[in-house]
Each structure stands twice: as C-alpha cells, then as structure tokens.
Amino acid sequence: INSKRLLISLMAKPMACRLQELPVRLLYVTNTSKESKQSLLSRLNHIGFEVNADEVFTSLSAARKIIEMRRLRPLLLLETKALEDFDGICLDNPNAVVVGLAPQSFCYETLNHAFRLLMNGCELIAVNKARYYRRPDGLALGAGPFVEALEYASGRKADVIGKPERSFFQSALDRLGVSAEETVMIGDDVRDDVLAAMNLGMTGILVKTGKYRNGDEELLPAGCHCHLSETFAAAVEYLESSLEFRQN
C-alpha cells in the first residue's frame, strides 16, 4: 500500500471507527440498487458511519449520469426506495429499460412490458449484473439473472453500469484522482469486487464474510493472488500493519 487512498466495498461489514482512523482516503463503492444514495447514507450514519455523500459512489448514481448524457426516458425496474435518485428524469414514452435489483417488479407482466419495449428498439441498461446477494434468510437472486433473461429474449445486449465493469472502477479511481496501482479494494465478492479490481491493477483483499462462500478464492485465475481475511476487522488490521511497515 504505497498511497493514502483506499477503495472499499459496502458489501463487507464495516468496522467504521477503526477504519476511518487510518491515514487513508476512503471511497465506498456499492452496487446497491434497492435504495437511494440518501437512504443509504442515512442508514450508514444511523449505525455509526460518519460518511459524507462525496465518499459514496453507487451504481445508481452512475446510471443516472448515463441516462442524462444519452437523454434517455427510462422505464425504471427499481424498488420504490431507489426512485429518488432519478427525480427530475422524464419517464414518459420510454426509450430505454433500466434494471436494478427490484424484487417487487420482477413479475411476468412487468418483465414482459420491458421485453416489448426492447423489441421496439429501446436500450437496455443494467444498474448491475450481480448473480446473487445475501439476505437475512440466505442467498437470493440478484439483478443479473433477470437482465440475462431480457437479453436472451430480446437479443439486445445490456450496457452494464456497476461492478464488475471496468468503467465503474475507473470512474471511482478518477473520482479519487489516483491510479489503480496505489489503491486497495476490499470486498466479499471474489468476482465482482476483488477480481474485477485486480484486473484493473488494484491490490485485492477478499473478506470471508457476507457473500463469501467456502472456496471462492479458488475461482481466481492461476497466478492471481489476493490477501484473504477471515473478518473485516482482520482486513483493517492487515492494512494497519502494512501502513506501519511502509512508514518505517
């Protein structure tokens, strides 16, 4: 770790105070698409995270930027709590379909409406293409399988916005004004967090909590090594020791 920046995934459980005391800059990057950025910030602050809006980079924010740049009028397949991030966007006469994690919207009629729009030439934008996520009752399907279904049925390829897309990580690095080589990514998803970041040149730390499943590290290509931490606290301790070594 040769810089004072750190990129961290919100999918890992935070050890907020100790992490924030480290002499590093933090950017919290997340694929979360079930709630707005403000809702997420409020929840983080409520549990003791002293996080500013500028320190959180979400795939919803990146999706809105794409919508504005392309002047799209999207059909939003999103949870109600996420719609706040698209206030002011024209939704009349859709020319695009935007898909996030929206369990309440993933019914036949809604997906069929999206399919028909795509067959009539609308663009398909995936806020993320996550395979699954963890709920209190266990693993659950993410947005990815539903995006794949729409791709298969319509023959249209989705523009994927969030992790593990290279452009998403690069946008986060650009926001910090740093290179990949001086950045660390901590996450619990071996594909979408760690491997995607390492492919860009970052150092990866895989935390064995949350979405992690036994043996996930074996999914890394031969010769691709990342640090494994049993807990998020252990990852922070590893960072602390690494920083102290650099300083000495």
Side-chain angles (χ1 to χ4, degrees):
I1 304 170
N2 56 13
S3 76
K4 296 185 178 180
R5 281 92 175 173
L6 173 68
L7 198 64
I8 177 174
S9 170
L10 278 178
M11 294 305 296
K13 282 185 175 289
M15 191 171 70
C17 294
R18 192 165 175 182
L19 177 62
Q20 292 175 321
E21 289 172 356
L22 290 178
V24 296
R25 285 181 58 196
L26 303 174
L27 183 63
Y28 301 88
V29 296
T30 176
N31 266 350
T32 298
S33 58
K34 288 182 66 178
E35 60 183 328
S36 68
K37 183 175 180 178
Q38 186 55 52
S39 175
L40 177 61
L41 281 170
S42 297
R43 186 160 57 87
L44 289 171
N45 290 330
H46 179 71
I47 62 175
F49 242 107
E50 295 182 4
V51 181
N52 298 318
D54 291 342
E55 295 175 310
V56 176
F57 185 61
T58 74
S59 52
L60 285 175
S61 299
R64 178 178 179 123
K65 184 176 180 180
I66 293 294
I67 290 169
E68 290 176 333
M69 287 176 56
R70 299 181 186 176
R71 299 182 179 180
L72 299 177
R73 305 179 304 276
L75 168 69
L76 297 173
L77 298 189
L78 298 170
E79 292 289 84
T80 301
K81 290 177 65 175
L83 296 178
E84 177 185 341
D85 280 355
F86 297 89
D87 284 350
I89 296 292
C90 179
L91 306 179
D92 298 332
N93 189 24
N95 60 359
V97 175
V98 174
V99 184
L101 180 59
Q104 301 304 315
S105 296
F106 291 154
C107 62
Y108 182 85
E109 290 303 327
T110 302
L111 289 171
N112 198 49
H113 177 46
F115 161 71
R116 289 175 176 176
L117 289 174
L118 296 173
M119 293 299 287
N120 286 329
C122 289
E123 293 187 38
L124 177 58
I125 296 175
V127 177
N128 64 70
K129 214 172 181 182
R131 295 172 175 83
Y132 57 86
Y133 69 106
R134 183 174 291 280
R135 301 189 313 199
D137 62 345
L139 297 178
L141 288 173
F146 299 93
V147 174
E148 290 269 1
L150 290 171
E151 287 181 317
Y152 177 75
S154 68
R156 298 190 69 86
K157 189 70 175 175
D159 285 338
V160 185
I161 305 300
K163 298 182 294 182
E165 292 302 298
R166 188 181 185 92
S167 58
F168 182 73
F169 284 104
Q170 188 59 58
S171 294
L173 292 173
D174 293 344
R175 188 163 177 167
L176 284 174
V178 299
S179 67
E181 290 72 21
E182 55 184 351
T183 307
V184 175
M185 177 72 190
I186 302 176
D188 60 2
D189 189 314
V190 67
R191 295 188 184 93
D192 292 356
D193 291 337
V194 177
L195 182 57
M198 292 176 68
N199 284 339
L200 198 59
M202 301 184 209
T203 298
I205 299 179
L206 178 61
V207 180
K208 297 170 126 181
T209 59
K211 288 178 70 175
Y212 173 84
R213 304 186 73 195
N214 289 335
D216 272 356
E217 60 272 21
E218 297 175 7
L219 298 175
L220 294 170
C224 184
H225 302 291
C226 72
H227 180 78
L228 296 177
S229 292
E230 292 294 327
T231 64
F232 191 71
V236 174
E237 290 173 353
Y238 172 73
L239 287 171
E240 287 177 324
S241 62
S242 298
L243 287 168
E244 289 172 359
F245 176 79
R246 293 286 183 181
Q247 292 169 353
N248 292 332

